[in-house]
Amino acid sequence: MNGSGSYNASLPIGDLDSWTFTACAGDALRVRADEVAQTNNFAPWVRLYGPTGLLLGSVFGATSAEVSVVATNRGTYLVVIANNDYYNNAGYGTYQLVVNGLSDGMKLCIPQISGTNANIGGIGGTPGASYVLFTHTNISTPVESWTPLVTNQFDSVGVFN
C-alpha cells in the first residue's frame, strides 16, 4: 500500500489477495473491501493479521466487508482478501480496497515522553540495516550540523526503539 485511500483489484476463483502496511501502536486501522463487479456470488471476505500473525479481525459480506481496530503493536500488518467460503469459492469479481491512508514503509512513531526522556521508535526499516538518529535544538539548522544521538540496527522485523 502506498498511502492512497483506495485500490482496485480483481479476485479470480479460489484466489487470495494480500496487502501489507506498517503501523505504530495506537494507530487506527480501517480496511474495507467493496464489491465492484461479480460473477457466481462473489462476496468479499477481509481478514487482518497483526505483526505477530495474530488474526485481529475477519468479516465478510454480500457486497462489502470491513475490519476496524486500533493497532496494539508496531510493525507490519497483513490484509487478506478472499471470496466468502460459504459460496464454495465459485465466485469471482473485482473489488475496491478502501483504507484510511495506510501505507507500507518507514514510519516514525509518536514519541512517548516520560519525565525528561523521550522514547522514540519506528517501523519499516530493512531488518539488520543500520540507522542513525540525529538531534538538534533548532529544527531550521542544516542537517549537516545535527548531532548523531544513536547509531544502531533495525531488529529482525524492521523496528527500532
Side-chain angles (χ1 to χ4, degrees):
M1 293 183 192
N2 61 15
S4 175
S6 65
Y7 307 86
N8 294 318
S10 296
L11 197 67
I13 293 174
D15 195 20
L16 298 172
D17 281 357
S18 62
W19 305 79
T20 60
F21 63 90
T22 52
C24 295
D27 288 352
L29 312 176
R30 189 176 125 239
V31 180
R32 186 179 78 233
D34 295 327
E35 175 189 296
V36 175
Q38 62 94 19
T39 302
N40 296 335
N41 297 315
F42 171 63
W45 182 12
V46 176
R47 287 170 277 186
L48 176 61
Y49 295 89
T52 63
L54 179 69
L55 179 64
L56 303 177
S58 176
V59 177
F60 61 86
T63 59
S64 185
E66 181 177 314
V67 173
S68 293
V69 297
V70 173
T72 56
N73 301 54
R74 69 176 138 209
T76 300
Y77 287 73
L78 173 68
V79 176
V80 176
I81 307 294
N83 187 29
N84 178 6
D85 283 338
Y86 178 79
Y87 297 111
N88 299 316
N89 282 319
Y92 60 94
T94 57
Y95 66 94
Q96 183 175 56
L97 182 67
V98 180
V99 298
N100 58 330
L102 304 175
S103 65
D104 218 355
M106 185 68 185
K107 288 187 183 68
L108 183 63
C109 298
I110 296 173
Q112 302 297 313
I113 307 300
S114 176
T116 59
N117 296 320
N119 298 311
I120 300 171
I123 54 174
T126 302
S130 295
Y131 69 86
V132 179
L133 181 63
F134 291 91
T135 184
H136 202 284
T137 57
N138 184 348
I139 197 163
S140 64
T141 301
V143 174
E144 315 66 70
S145 299
W146 288 43
T147 304
L149 185 64
V150 174
T151 300
N152 210 330
Q153 290 183 317
F154 290 100
D155 70 10
S156 62
V157 294
V159 171
F160 81 89
N161 290 309

